[in-house]
Amino acid sequence: DLFEILLDSFCKEGLVWEASAYIERIRGIDPYWASSIHVYNILLKGWFRSRQLERIERLWDEMKKDNVKPSVVTYGILVQMYCQMCHVEVAVELLDEMRREGIEPDAIVYNPIIDALGEAGRFKEALGMMERFLVLESGPTVYSYNSLVKGFCKAGDLEGANKILKM
């Protein structure tokens, strides 16, 4: 809706503080107003672009407190953020949490983890993640395989990269 478009525009322009303040003003006017998952996702992406880990974690806690059920997109944003900030273990914990919540992970969630593990040279874990991904209906994407090939090449393991290409 128009409100979400406005918030998204603010966040994409780097004005996530202003977007958050606007929501707080609305809550001050109408204490019964509740943010939707879409609003939370927009703010999470905005804080992610601003590299504000503390604000993201605070917003995540607020979502839970407000009983707003996260979506696969929500988890995808968080997983990507933790992987880019070299906290892949936290991202894997979120993956497990998704499953407990009955939310099926997809490429948006798996690919950053596979990429981060490959970048770190943790190929056994990355391949294990690929195996977990293979059993899902969506399955790995070209990006998933490219992440592993890139990781093996960076490590100088051309034989490992070749095996992934053959997969």
Side-chain angles (χ1 to χ4, degrees):
D1 66 10
L2 190 56
F3 175 69
E4 291 172 5
I5 292 169
L6 175 68
L7 285 179
D8 193 44
S9 298
F10 270 107
C11 290
K12 284 180 178 172
E13 290 298 318
L15 301 171
V16 67
W17 288 102
E18 289 80 354
S20 293
Y22 187 68
I23 289 172
E24 290 307 314
R25 273 186 249 132
I26 291 172
R27 285 186 179 145
I29 294 167
D30 181 1
Y32 298 105
W33 183 82
S35 296
S36 69
I37 187 60
H38 300 292
V39 169
Y40 277 108
N41 287 344
I42 291 165
L43 288 175
L44 284 170
K45 281 188 253 178
W47 289 122
F48 174 45
R49 284 187 199 103
S50 300
R51 311 292 265 172
Q52 296 286 327
L53 179 61
E54 186 178 305
R55 295 293 298 187
I56 292 167
E57 289 176 338
R58 193 177 311 153
L59 192 61
W60 178 243
D61 290 340
E62 182 182 311
M63 280 179 63
K64 289 179 179 179
K65 186 185 82 176
D66 290 345
N67 292 317
V68 176
K69 185 173 169 63
S71 67
V72 69
V73 173
T74 311
Y75 281 105
I77 295 165
L78 294 169
V79 164
Q80 183 180 10
M81 177 205 61
Y82 281 115
C83 287
Q84 285 186 7
M85 294 183 169
C86 300
H87 298 295
V88 70
E89 288 76 19
V90 178
V92 172
E93 288 173 20
L94 285 170
L95 179 69
D96 294 335
E97 181 180 317
M98 283 180 75
R99 289 213 161 124
R100 286 192 303 273
E101 295 293 322
I103 300 170
E104 174 122 351
D106 61 8
I108 293 170
V109 177
Y110 272 101
N111 285 341
I113 295 173
I114 293 167
D115 190 55
L117 291 170
E119 283 285 324
R122 296 164 60 180
F123 301 115
K124 187 174 182 177
E125 293 169 83
L127 289 168
M129 203 53 66
M130 281 288 278
E131 286 179 22
R132 288 174 70 178
F133 196 6
L134 282 167
V135 299
L136 297 178
E137 188 176 315
S138 61
T141 64
V142 170
Y143 182 85
S144 311
Y145 291 102
N146 285 346
S147 291
L148 285 175
V149 170
K150 178 181 68 172
F152 277 108
C153 288
K154 276 186 164 183
D157 184 353
L158 298 181
E159 187 177 316
N162 192 35
K163 286 179 184 176
I164 299 301
L165 286 171
K166 289 179 180 177
M167 286 175 72

